[in-house]
Amino acid sequence: MKIYNKYIAAIAVSLVLASCKAPMATVIQDDVKNNIPENFNQNEQQDVNNNSGTTPWRQFFTDPNLVSLIETSLKNNQELMITLQEIEIAKSGVVAKKGKLTPTVRAGLGAGLKKAGRYTSEGAGDASTEIEPGKEMPDPLGNFEGGLMANWEIDIWKKLRTEKDAAVAHYLSTVEGKNFVLSNLIEEVADNYYELLALDNQMDIIQQYIKLQTRALEIAKIQKQAAAATELAVKKFEAELAKSKATEYTIRQQITEKENQINALCGRYPQPIVRTKESFMSTIPQTVYTGIPSQLLANRPDIKQAELELKAAKLDVEAARKEFYPTLEISATLGLEAFKPSYLVKMPESIAYNLVGELAGPLINKSAIKANFQTADAKQIQALYEYDKTILNAYLDISNLMSKVKNIDQYYQLKSQETQALDQSIDIANQLFKNSRADYLEVLLNQRDALDAKMELIEAKQKQLSTVVDIYKSLGGGWK
């Protein structure tokens, strides 16, 4: 019998050890992060100690109207509010995982009734049992109980701690996600604000052009009466005036939509956007300092979010791998139990307790555990690709925007020269037309070219300002 028991024990130990076999997770290497370039532009050295991404947004934006809009959006924006709730959800997940590390204790009351067959071992035993001299066991037999029940999974493989650490990493990633939403929101408000100012200035230009066209039409009519021009010239000027008025209404609609877009970002119903359009064309863009590429890892919240999600994914793989190991659970109960409520107060006879320890591990049909592990392993690799993609895109964003800042500045300077030259040509063409020394087509073409150049100049100024905002956000600015 002793030899038989030894065999049983040996088999049990062998089965437990067999259940401890677990597959290895994929070993991943982050080549993108390790090989990040030292500078954004290999021909230029960046100042490590000067990075605009660390500048608080209140210092970066100086327009008080824009600052007020950003403040309103940070208080009311619905997308930001949704993100804040995601943080609360992730925080609850951490609390839930942490709770699994401690015993679960419950209190309970119960009552029941049981009738055992007379010709069964239980029924025969109850019938022959005397509770007190001359008193037999009641039939049917009641059961009344109350007490405490505890259950505790001992974290012998630190699986539960790993799950908690994964939940913490995910929670921290949602915090960085909120910071990224803040950065995007500030950028979006600023970009739309500058686009609105550009539309205001284009409205002023088109209205000036309408006045110019009205005067040109009047001159054409006078010259027709004096036989110095034809009806064709009059109709051409009328068509050009109608076209300009139609453009004015198009810009009006664009202004309305842009105002409502800003109001939507501010989480409020349509209302006028307070702004000062007169100083728009004279606004000098902020000087942006990029620092070095490695600083993006600490400044950009989307990179930090992706890094934390990668950490959480690695911990999830580790926790899924530990599912192959046996689990040790301890359960205990302590309370009072009797077949009659009045007997519950009779102690120690009514005291009941139970203590059980169980070590068990998966042995056969591990397909669900294997599938869970393979899923976690694939998500880990996916998280690495997402992290690498985020770093790479951030670097390319900065590189593109640095080039754009330089090129848009040159573009703006040349457009300014073009506008000045065309303004002078309009005056010359108008004088020649009044003196019948120039054709009406020359006047129209000069006016159209000047209008297009001024519109493009305004767009260039808007792109100048928006590009600076974009590079500020791409450097990780805005959320601090």
Side-chain angles (χ1 to χ4, degrees):
M1 189 68 179
K2 291 182 178 179
I3 296 176
Y4 180 75
N5 289 337
K6 288 181 179 179
Y7 282 134
I8 295 294
I11 292 172
V13 171
S14 299
L15 292 175
V16 170
L17 292 175
S19 70
C20 290
K21 284 188 176 181
M24 297 301 295
T26 303
V27 179
I28 57 177
Q29 293 183 346
D30 196 352
D31 295 332
V32 172
K33 178 182 177 181
N34 295 333
N35 297 324
I36 190 168
E38 295 183 359
N39 295 289
F40 290 107
N41 190 332
Q42 301 304 320
N43 299 323
E44 296 180 8
Q45 291 291 327
Q46 277 82 40
D47 185 0
V48 179
N49 300 318
N50 210 349
N51 190 323
S52 297
T54 60
T55 305
W57 68 266
R58 291 179 184 275
Q59 296 178 18
F60 189 82
F61 298 104
T62 56
D63 188 329
N65 295 322
L66 176 56
V67 170
S68 177
L69 288 172
I70 293 175
E71 288 176 342
T72 303
S73 67
L74 295 180
K75 293 178 182 177
N76 303 330
N77 184 263
Q78 281 78 19
E79 185 178 353
L80 181 58
M81 299 300 108
I82 292 170
T83 305
L84 292 176
Q85 295 310 306
E86 290 178 358
I87 294 176
E88 294 301 317
I89 294 170
K91 187 187 296 183
S92 299
V94 174
V95 175
K97 295 296 183 182
K98 187 177 181 181
K100 289 186 176 182
L101 290 167
T102 55
T104 301
V105 181
R106 297 175 295 152
L109 296 172
L113 189 66
K114 185 176 182 182
K115 173 68 172 69
R118 179 66 179 81
Y119 299 112
T120 63
S121 59
E122 184 180 355
D126 291 345
S128 61
T129 302
E130 290 187 356
I131 304 303
E132 295 178 4
K135 291 185 179 181
E136 296 181 353
M137 185 76 72
D139 189 20
L141 187 66
N143 186 62
F144 300 90
E145 60 182 353
L148 300 176
M149 292 151 280
N151 188 274
W152 187 18
E153 180 180 346
I154 308 298
D155 195 19
I156 54 177
W157 310 111
K158 295 186 178 180
K159 182 191 73 172
L160 300 179
R161 287 181 178 84
T162 302
E163 291 178 348
K164 186 205 74 172
D165 292 342
V168 170
H170 178 65
Y171 161 71
L172 294 175
S173 77
T174 60
V175 174
E176 295 300 337
K178 180 265 295 182
N179 293 336
F180 189 56
V181 170
L182 283 174
S183 187
N184 282 338
L185 178 60
I186 291 172
E187 177 201 32
E188 201 169 352
V189 171
D191 282 346
N192 281 280
Y193 178 76
Y194 291 136
E195 288 175 15
L196 180 60
L197 292 180
L199 288 171
D200 287 339
N201 280 264
Q202 287 181 338
M203 175 63 77
D204 290 343
I205 294 298
I206 198 68
Q207 288 176 345
Q208 293 173 12
Y209 187 66
I210 288 173
K211 292 179 180 178
L212 183 65
Q213 284 297 310
T214 302
R215 288 197 296 269
L217 176 61
E218 292 172 352
I219 294 171
K221 288 180 177 179
I222 293 171
Q223 288 191 335
K224 178 195 170 186
Q225 292 174 356
T230 64
E231 181 68 15
L232 181 59
V234 174
K235 294 303 180 184
K236 282 289 186 180
F237 280 113
E238 286 180 350
E240 189 69 14
L241 180 59
K243 179 183 176 182
S244 300
K245 289 182 177 180
T247 303
E248 178 185 6
Y249 286 104
T250 300
I251 296 175
R252 286 186 186 278
Q253 178 61 27
Q254 290 174 340
I255 289 174
T256 300
E257 292 177 0
K258 190 59 63 177
E259 282 187 319
N260 287 339
Q261 193 170 351
I262 294 174
N263 283 317
L265 292 172
C266 293
R268 63 191 186 187
Y269 287 105
Q271 57 182 273
I273 301 298
V274 179
R275 60 211 188 254
T276 304
K277 61 182 179 180
E278 289 76 18
S279 60
F280 175 71
M281 295 303 294
S282 60
T283 302
I284 300 175
Q286 288 268 23
T287 302
V288 179
Y289 303 96
T290 60
I292 59 176
S294 59
Q295 292 175 329
L296 291 174
L297 303 178
N299 291 342
R300 276 189 62 137
D302 57 332
I303 293 179
K304 293 195 285 184
Q305 181 184 18
E307 183 180 16
L308 287 165
E309 285 296 339
L310 176 59
K311 180 181 178 181
K314 290 180 179 179
L315 291 169
D316 285 339
V317 174
E318 187 179 343
R321 186 172 182 271
K322 291 174 181 178
E323 289 288 347
F324 289 92
Y325 300 160
T327 58
L328 176 60
E329 291 190 5
I330 296 176
S331 58
T333 59
L334 175 63
L336 303 175
E337 186 175 14
F339 62 82
K340 190 176 180 181
S342 59
Y343 289 163
L344 288 173
V345 295
K346 292 186 177 183
M347 292 182 283
E349 290 84 356
S350 62
I351 294 177
Y353 59 85
N354 181 36
L355 179 64
V356 178
E358 182 181 60
L359 181 65
L363 186 61
I364 300 175
N365 192 8
K366 302 180 184 178
S367 58
I369 300 176
K370 289 179 180 177
N372 184 44
F373 172 78
Q374 290 168 354
T375 299
D377 194 42
K379 286 184 177 179
Q380 172 195 220
I381 299 172
Q382 186 182 52
L384 174 65
Y385 293 149
E386 287 289 343
Y387 180 50
D388 289 345
K389 184 181 75 172
T390 305
I391 294 176
L392 186 60
N393 288 342
Y395 180 88
L396 294 175
D397 283 346
I398 300 297
S399 180
N400 290 336
L401 289 169
M402 287 175 61
S403 175
K404 187 176 180 180
V405 166
K406 294 178 181 178
N407 291 329
I408 199 68
D409 286 344
Q410 294 298 320
Y411 177 82
Y412 181 79
Q413 295 300 326
L414 293 172
K415 277 295 174 182
S416 297
Q417 296 175 18
E418 179 188 2
T419 301
Q420 293 174 1
L422 288 171
D423 280 341
Q424 295 172 359
S425 70
I426 286 178
D427 294 336
I428 295 171
N430 286 337
Q431 289 296 328
L432 293 173
F433 181 67
K434 288 179 182 178
N435 298 323
S436 300
R437 295 178 60 188
D439 188 73
Y440 67 91
L441 288 176
E442 293 181 75
V443 177
L444 281 175
L445 289 174
N446 273 281
Q447 290 176 346
R448 286 179 184 176
D449 290 343
L451 174 64
D452 292 341
K454 288 181 179 179
M455 292 292 196
E456 290 170 357
L457 181 64
I458 294 171
E459 289 178 359
K461 173 58 69 174
Q462 179 263 313
K463 288 179 181 178
Q464 252 191 340
L465 297 172
S466 293
T467 301
V468 169
V469 174
D470 294 343
I471 197 171
Y472 172 65
K473 174 254 179 182
S474 296
L475 288 168
W479 60 273
K480 294 183 179 180

